[in-house]
Amino acid sequence: MKYIYNVTYHVAPQVAAQWQDWIAERLPQWLKQSHFAQVKILKIHLDHPDSEAFSLQYETEDKEIAARFQAEQELIHRQAIYEQFGEKVLSFGTLLEEKETLVSD
């Protein structure tokens, strides 16, 4: 079974490029510390121009890794982002559990 810990970020347009560079620099270390198998950065396409949105999807087959991340590291990451960008970057996390994968012929 696969678990995905998804963190959605709403980023003010004036800091979006800076945030992307900043997060890309930190992700290898954060991934190593978290013990997730992989992390993906995805751009979320929105209909309104007042913010840009991104998703970081941390993947694991061990639910405890996700629980430890939430309890021990997520707040540290959010604090680092807040110190760098203030309220120009807002985020929330969601734990997803993969139930089924269908593949097209």
Side-chain angles (χ1 to χ4, degrees), residues 17-33:
Q18 181 186 3
W19 178 84
Q20 288 177 70
D21 291 342
W22 188 89
I23 206 81
E25 288 177 14
R26 281 148 186 82
L27 269 184
Q29 179 184 1
W30 288 3
L31 180 61
K32 186 176 180 179
Q33 291 171 343

Side-chain angles (χ1 to χ4, degrees), residues 5 30 32-36 64-79:
Y5 192 74
W30 288 3
K32 186 176 180 179
Q33 291 171 343
S34 70
H35 303 286
F36 281 98
E64 290 306 311
I65 287 175
R68 256 185 307 199
F69 177 80
Q70 286 179 284
E72 298 171 6
Q73 295 177 357
E74 185 176 17
L75 186 58
I76 293 168
H77 295 180
R78 286 183 192 216
Q79 183 63 33

